[in-house]
Amino acid sequence: MPQAFIPSTLADPALQVTIEPAAEPGREVIRILVIGSAHGVERIIHELYRLGFAEVREWSKPQPTGRINEIMRVLTRYVLVE
């Protein structure tokens, strides 16, 4: 299966890139992932919008998963850490 993601570490430390947003004290990053057909993923995202869970624009752009006719979209939220 082709590699769909950038590895989190590289062999040469000088080439390492941080792709995570800097964590703020007292906040934790939570990601919600929806995977399926393009039609199914869009239906779930719009249903969650209708329920007041998240704006459609808050979700990432569709990304391929490496499987035929399958995509994923990610919603990033932040929660307070107690």
Side-chain angles (χ1 to χ4, degrees), residues 1 5 19-20 23 35 39 42 49 63-64 70:
M1 176 161 88
F5 299 99
I19 56 175
E20 294 283 327
I35 300 174
H39 177 74
E42 294 304 313
Y49 167 73
Q63 300 294 317
E70 186 177 76

Side-chain angles (χ1 to χ4, degrees), residues 2-50:
Q3 189 173 6
F5 299 99
I6 299 172
S8 60
T9 59
L10 298 172
D12 183 355
L15 297 176
Q16 290 189 7
V17 177
T18 301
I19 56 175
E20 294 283 327
E24 292 183 25
R27 289 177 28 151
E28 178 182 351
V29 176
I30 301 296
R31 288 186 185 82
I32 301 160
L33 182 65
V34 179
I35 300 174
S37 68
H39 177 74
V41 168
E42 294 304 313
R43 284 192 66 189
I44 292 296
I45 288 173
H46 283 90
E47 181 68 16
L48 290 171
Y49 167 73
R50 189 181 70 75

Side-chain angles (χ1 to χ4, degrees), residues 38-77:
H39 177 74
V41 168
E42 294 304 313
R43 284 192 66 189
I44 292 296
I45 288 173
H46 283 90
E47 181 68 16
L48 290 171
Y49 167 73
R50 189 181 70 75
L51 295 171
F53 183 74
E55 295 283 331
V56 173
R57 63 182 165 71
E58 292 180 285
W59 291 85
S60 69
K61 293 180 180 179
Q63 300 294 317
T65 64
R67 293 185 176 172
I68 296 173
N69 297 324
E70 186 177 76
I71 64 160
M72 67 178 176
R73 291 185 69 180
V74 180
L75 174 68
T76 302
R77 290 286 176 98

